[in-house]
Amino acid sequence: MQLKSILFFAICGVFILISSLNSCYYDNEAYLYSSVNCTDTTYTYTGRIKAIVDQNCATADCHAGTNPSSNIGLETYDQVFDNMENGEFLCTIYQNSGCNPMPKNASKLDACALDAFTKWKERGYPEN
Ligand code: HEM
């Protein structure tokens, strides 16, 4: 194979790699820099997050009880913290590609509820 064509394919490869990396990073920015105006500015677990999770996720037959869906319980601070830290929680609620959209069989959480999880994470997950 001539040097020219080797160079051509190498440049194509680099170009494809850069554009795929760029699209992946954009997904993450979606929830890193949220900018919605919400009246409720409480960003603690007991003050806001727990109520949203109890109403939308840790319901019976879903992420509660002794046999929670996908073996993921979301009834306690530690359980929600762990699932936020491994990246699954935000990926599922922002319904990013590659994750199962949650809440299952229900509408996507509204922008202020999504923002509450992002701000809770930005503030280091205060419990109270
Ligand atoms: C906003 C609320 C919820 C959150 C944060 C949440 C989070 C998650 C996470 C992180 C997973 C595993 C990741 C994955 O499989 O891609 C998952 C899977 C699952 N969740 Fe939820 N979930 C929520 C609401 C619900 C509800 C209300 C139900 C029941 C109706 C439910 C049922 C399931 C089931 C059955 C799975 C296994 C995968 C599937 O069948 O889609 N989840 N959820």
Side-chain angles (χ1 to χ4, degrees), residues 7 21 51 89 99 116:
L7 268 178
L21 281 177
F89 196 107
C99 286

Side-chain angles (χ1 to χ4, degrees), residues 56-57 62-63 69-70 72 83 88-89 93 100 102-104:
N56 296 281
C57 323
C62 302
H63 298 286
S69 302
S70 208
I72 297 171
N83 203 247
E88 274 189 343
F89 196 107
I93 62 171
N100 279 310
M102 294 291 148
K104 198 172 175 65

Side-chain angles (χ1 to χ4, degrees), residues 72 80-90 125:
I72 297 171
V80 177
F81 170 84
D82 289 347
N83 203 247
M84 285 282 290
E85 272 296 274
N86 70 22
E88 274 189 343
F89 196 107
L90 286 176
Y125 307 104

Side-chain angles (χ1 to χ4, degrees), residues 26-125:
Y26 175 71
D27 272 342
N28 290 338
E29 267 176 32
Y31 53 73
L32 276 177
Y33 309 117
S34 60
S35 56
V36 285
N37 279 323
C38 305
T39 47
D40 189 343
T41 55
T42 312
Y43 303 118
T44 63
Y45 177 75
T46 50
R48 177 104 177 272
I49 297 297
K50 182 169 174 38
I52 304 172
V53 175
D54 286 352
Q55 277 159 27
N56 296 281
C57 323
T59 49
D61 304 329
C62 302
H63 298 286
T66 51
N67 185 18
S69 302
S70 208
N71 203 24
I72 297 171
L74 294 171
E75 295 176 276
T76 66
Y77 172 87
D78 289 341
Q79 288 174 329
V80 177
F81 170 84
D82 289 347
N83 203 247
M84 285 282 290
E85 272 296 274
N86 70 22
E88 274 189 343
F89 196 107
L90 286 176
C91 189
T92 58
I93 62 171
Y94 275 92
Q95 304 194 348
N96 286 335
S97 53
C99 286
N100 279 310
M102 294 291 148
K104 198 172 175 65
N105 306 330
S107 329
K108 188 177 178 177
L109 296 180
D110 67 47
C112 288
L114 293 173
D115 183 56
F117 287 98
T118 299
K119 295 271 183 4
W120 184 50
K121 177 177 178 164
E122 285 169 0
R123 285 157 176 72
Y125 307 104

